[in-house]
Amino acid sequence: AQKVTQAQTEISVVEKEDVTLDCVYETRDTTYYLFWYKQPPSGELVFLIRRNSFDEQNEISGRYSWNFQKSTSSFNFTITASQVVDSAVYFCALSEARGNNRLAFGKGNQVVVIP
Amino acid sequence: NAGVMQNPRHLVRRRGQEARLRCSPMKGHSHVYWYRQLPEEGLKFMVYLQKENIIDESGMPKERFSAEFPKEGPSILRIQQVVRGDSAAYFCASSPPGVLTGSTEAFFGQGTRLTVV
């Protein structure tokens, strides 16, 4: 069974600080996909990244970066130099290759950036 | 190229009424997924449909909930005899056909927020 754990529920940072969101997953599949989504206060879900289980390269996109470590089953997300617009709930999710594209979400991290 | 369209955005129903939530997938997408987000919770998978077929309904409550995706028209999530515990945000996602299972990001609609009073 697939499971995603995001231990930190709410994280407050002062603007321009970095913030790292932890995501730990469980799966029995050898082929799987990991995702991060952002849910701003307006409520929609914004896709940020997809990573497959065979690609452990870290990725950077602007102020966002992701660290994928299969050895610890983690897919952590860092926002560098946070801005007020980064205030949102961030969800980590997992999809197994045999899972019909079904996403298993963590409970989310509420990030509050204080100006 | 419109994204996934859900309507209504907000829906208020009294206990015992029926709620109908609609989802029009992105153009060219034939796979639709419904998720439910309860307050303070992450999203939980409910059902996966392709045109005229339910592929996976392992996340659907056994009673009162049903979903369809007809050949023509949007996908419908129907909740009969709603109760207060059904109050949640319901999200629809779509993905294109012919992709490797699990390999594509699902494109989400803006959600329907159901409030049962």
Side-chain angles (χ1 to χ4, degrees):
Chain A
Q2 52 191 129
K3 184 180 174 183
V4 176
T5 302
Q6 294 178 256
Q8 312 131 300
T9 50
E10 182 167 327
I11 304 165
S12 294
V13 295
V14 176
E15 202 171 16
K16 296 184 184 173
E17 287 183 342
D18 298 348
V19 55
T20 294
L21 310 179
D22 298 330
C23 172
V24 175
Y25 62 90
E26 293 177 31
T27 177
R28 291 182 184 152
D29 261 10
T30 54
T31 303
Y32 53 88
Y33 303 85
L34 296 162
F35 302 78
W36 277 93
Y37 284 87
K38 174 182 179 179
Q39 187 176 42
S42 49
E44 72 272 25
L45 280 165
V46 179
F47 166 79
L48 296 179
I49 189 171
R50 177 187 72 245
R51 174 66 67 203
N52 76 55
S53 52
F54 298 109
D55 182 2
E56 282 193 75
Q57 264 194 323
N58 292 330
E59 182 154 339
I60 298 174
S61 176
R63 295 183 298 105
Y64 294 169
S65 62
W66 291 269
N67 183 302
F68 177 24
Q69 299 217 345
K70 282 179 81 169
S71 60
T72 55
S73 297
S74 64
F75 186 43
N76 297 339
F77 172 32
T78 297
I79 304 172
T80 304
S82 59
Q83 300 176 1
V84 173
V85 292
D86 296 326
S87 296
V89 181
Y90 292 85
F91 291 101
C92 181
L94 166 73
S95 174
E96 295 172 330
R98 294 178 293 177
N100 286 324
N101 266 351
R102 183 174 66 233
L103 289 166
F105 284 83
K107 289 193 173 184
N109 302 123
Q110 170 82 61
V111 173
V112 177
V113 180
I114 303 163
Chain B
N1 186 14
V4 178
M5 303 299 291
Q6 288 187 251
N7 67 81
R9 291 289 308 279
H10 301 274
L11 182 61
V12 179
R13 284 287 176 266
R14 295 187 185 280
R15 278 180 297 172
Q17 290 185 320
E18 178 179 282
R20 281 194 178 207
L21 288 63
R22 293 175 188 76
C23 169
S24 296
M26 285 182 70
K27 189 175 180 181
H29 287 193
S30 57
H31 299 201
V32 165
Y33 306 80
W34 285 94
Y35 291 83
R36 177 166 65 174
Q37 184 179 25
L38 292 167
E40 310 298 323
E41 294 283 327
L43 285 80
K44 302 285 188 196
F45 168 79
M46 298 181 77
V47 63
Y48 163 40
L49 309 103
Q50 295 179 17
K51 284 283 187 183
E52 300 184 279
N53 286 306
I54 296 175
I55 307 302
D56 180 353
E57 56 182 348
S58 58
M60 285 280 268
K62 295 286 182 267
E63 296 176 349
R64 303 187 296 108
F65 285 72
S66 62
E68 61 178 14
F69 188 17
K71 189 176 179 181
E72 302 291 338
S75 175
I76 306 286
L77 179 68
R78 184 183 293 115
I79 312 172
Q80 295 178 301
Q81 298 175 317
V82 296
V83 301
R84 288 238 171 95
D86 297 331
S87 295
Y90 292 83
F91 286 91
C92 169
S94 73
S95 63
V99 295
L100 292 173
T101 300
S103 68
T104 186
E105 68 273 22
F107 295 87
F108 282 85
Q110 292 193 300
T112 293
R113 275 140 189 90
L114 172 66
T115 303
V116 179
V117 297

